[in-house]
Amino acid sequence: MLSFSKVADLRRQIGDWRRAGLRVGFVPTMGNLHAGHFALVELARQHADKIVASIFVNPTQFGPNEDYARYPRTPDTDIDGLRGAGCDALLLPSVEEMYPFGTMGCVQMHVPGITDILCGAHRPGHFNGVAQVVARLFNMVQPDVAVFGRKDYQQLQVIRYMATEMSFPVRIVPAPTLRETDGLAMSSRNQYLQGEERQTATFIYQTLCFMRDQAALGMPPGGIEAEARQRLEMAGFTVDYAEIRRSDLSRPRASDEKGLLALIAARLGRTRLIDNLEFDIA
Ligand code: PAF
């Protein structure tokens, strides 16, 4: 696997591949990679000839009291894992390479509407930072396809909107959520969980299944959400939201039977966990 810290060097390599008629797939990450990330690389491989991954803990998507400083950075094991997953090139840029005029001097981005709800309402500025860095990465790599996990469903929707609205010539490929055997969605933040929190964390997936099952029984979304929140709080979570939404993240209508999601964001100790479950009730 080739490794680049400078965008100009990566671009030269990608230019060679393009001249040879090869399609480029892209998997952006913040590192601390797990099986879920390697599955993204494998999925990208189904759509492209050469796979580029990036590892960059993006400061602009973290709020002032969030975990930017302690976000786990494990480049050596990440590089081994990406090599094993068949990745062809890695972009590992510095903050200066990504933001040459600094994070205060950089061009700002705002994706309207969809970023005001759910995680956007609880992490002000987060999705602006995500859109900003993903737009930069798309411009640097210029991939034919880019793969994003469905676990970060709202992020996926923000990126789809941004890529369409800004005419990036890239196809966004969503990847299924990978779960541990007890249902916990794989996430780099799972390793923050202390002692019994790891077991308690499985309650998020159980609650998503409860929400889906109650929807199938005809319970109205408001009632499901109130009960889900109460169950999570009883289990020790501080709940940001537990909501039923349509696949475009608008509020569901009484007649909706297909394309629904249950979404949860909740904190356990110092760890904020998110997950979602897509379902139909017909
Ligand atoms: O999902 C992530 O890991 C990050 O939000 C992303 C898309 C790599 C942007 O920093």
Side-chain angles (χ1 to χ4, degrees), residues 28-30 56 58 61 130 133-134 148 152 155:
T29 81
M30 296 206 300
F56 180 65
N58 173 36
Q61 69 188 74
V130 170
V133 78
V134 172
F148 293 87
D152 297 307
Q155 169 174 281

Side-chain angles (χ1 to χ4, degrees), residues 99-111:
Y99 296 106
F101 297 141
T103 52
M104 299 307 283
C106 60
V107 174
Q108 303 293 320
M109 267 199 157
H110 174 60
V111 179

Side-chain angles (χ1 to χ4, degrees), residues 213-230:
D213 296 346
Q214 294 304 302
L217 290 172
M219 189 174 189
I224 298 173
E225 291 166 357
E227 193 152 336
R229 176 178 280 272
Q230 198 181 20

Side-chain angles (χ1 to χ4, degrees), residues 55-135:
I55 296 179
F56 180 65
V57 185
N58 173 36
T60 71
Q61 69 188 74
F62 288 81
N65 299 317
E66 293 187 345
D67 55 343
Y68 175 66
R70 72 179 178 121
Y71 197 85
R73 288 157 172 88
T74 51
D76 293 342
T77 44
D78 292 348
I79 289 168
D80 288 347
L82 285 170
R83 197 178 285 122
C87 185
D88 297 288
L90 171 64
L91 174 63
L92 199 60
S94 62
V95 175
E96 293 71 30
E97 183 72 3
M98 286 300 292
Y99 296 106
F101 297 141
T103 52
M104 299 307 283
C106 60
V107 174
Q108 303 293 320
M109 267 199 157
H110 174 60
V111 179
I114 190 178
T115 60
D116 297 336
I117 56 171
L118 301 168
C119 284
H122 292 272
R123 302 185 67 189
H126 166 66
F127 288 120
N128 296 348
V130 170
Q132 182 182 51
V133 78
V134 172

